[in-house]
Amino acid sequence: MSLPHPDADQITMPAVLAAPGDETRLAIVGHLSLCADVGMVCGQFHDLTSKTNLTYHLAKLREAGVVSVTPEGTRRRVKLRCADLDALSGLFRHHHCRGGQVAPGGVDIHQLTCQSGSKLVICICLFLERCP
Amino acid sequence: MSLPHPDADQITMPAVLAAPGDETRLAIVGHLSLCADVGMVCGQFHDLTSKTNLTYHLAKLREAGVVSVTPEGTRRRVKLRCADLDALSGLFRHHHCRGGQVAPGGVDIHQLTCQSGSKLVICICLFLERCP
DNA sequence: CCAATTGTTCAATAAATTTTGGACAAGGAC
DNA sequence: GTCCTTGTCCAAAATTTATTGAACAATTGG
């Protein structure tokens, strides 16, 4: 039975950026980024934290849409949702650039709205490829 | 009198990524990213949270090395440390790519060490420009 | 069917983080 | 010098997050 994951259009940049804002989850994402194609099974993270805590943190990452978790017998395979996150990032860059009339002080960032109609997405440009 | 800021070589990727892992600080960084050249003064964030809480969150971002805070009379100007963060990001990409022999399962990410000798930096590749 | 393995659930606990509001400090304007 | 504005400090409270370990569930292998 598959686990609940947010649809691609339900993934928001704040949630995606907030999810790794914890040392354990950051380490998990770091490991996964090195083998994005095949992912990893839960057992491979046991040196990071306890089994129980791992369950907790992987749920956080799954619920944020950062990873997908797929049962494989008694194991579960975890992968970064690269395609969805790339799409989110790309979509965001597109809109951020469009809205990118930067004025000193209070730019109304509410004008930055994703095309998909998802919740307001706020950028951390320094982590993303900047507009040319 | 200037406020204490970490030197550029004391800024670590985990701290930089973790600092915006809070809705309020994420919003602050989002605002700042839209006017990176001139930054903003504290008063411009008052619609985000209370003055006291703002003091707390800006201290968090300053201590992580994400922003610089400069007194200007009774006001304080906050700016993203773009140059330092770009340097961190660039340095990290350089080393991540060098170390980037990706094997399924347990890649020893401890081999990924910043040239500057700062603490181990773990990448969230999906947020950074990928290696060609 | 039983044992082993993997991972989850649960409630409780601990730790960390965020928020609060009044008092306070520093700089600027008059 | 006084008043105003901006932002800080402080301790306490509230909220959130992370961790724990035993019991449990599902799958696999024999």
Side-chain angles (χ1 to χ4, degrees), chain B residues 13-89:
Chain B
M13 191 66 85
V16 163
L17 292 171
D22 165 86
E23 293 287 330
T24 303
R25 293 196 292 279
L26 186 56
I28 291 170
V29 173
H31 279 76
L32 288 171
S33 72
L34 295 172
C35 49
D37 291 336
V38 295
M40 294 169 70
V41 294
C42 298
Q44 295 179 281
F45 295 109
H46 284 165
D47 58 339
L48 284 181
T49 187
S50 70
K51 293 198 302 178
T52 311
N53 210 20
L54 189 62
T55 297
Y56 168 81
H57 284 298
L58 287 176
K60 284 285 192 182
L61 290 170
R62 172 170 52 82
E63 285 155 13
V66 174
V67 301
S68 64
V69 181
T70 310
E72 291 185 358
T74 54
R75 297 177 172 185
R76 288 193 172 177
R77 185 163 297 273
V78 189
K79 289 184 181 180
L80 287 173
R81 293 179 62 172
C82 291
D84 293 321
L85 295 171
D86 279 343
L88 177 66
S89 179

Side-chain angles (χ1 to χ4, degrees), chain A residues 110-127:
Chain A
H110 288 279
Q111 83 189 61
L112 299 174
T113 307
C114 283
Q115 196 166 36
S116 67
S118 63
K119 286 152 62 182
L120 174 67
V121 173
I122 299 172
C123 169
I124 304 185
C125 286
L126 51 103
F127 300 138

Side-chain angles (χ1 to χ4, degrees), chain A residues 86 89 93 125-129, chain B residues 13 17 85 88-90 92-93 96 121-131:
Chain A
D86 279 344
S89 179
R93 280 201 288 271
C125 286
L126 51 103
F127 300 138
L128 295 172
E129 189 179 2
Chain B
M13 191 66 85
L17 292 171
L85 295 171
L88 177 66
S89 179
F92 178 78
R93 280 201 289 270
H96 184 69
V121 173
I122 299 171
C123 170
I124 305 185
C125 287
L126 53 103
F127 300 138
L128 295 173
E129 190 179 1
R130 289 226 175 77
C131 298

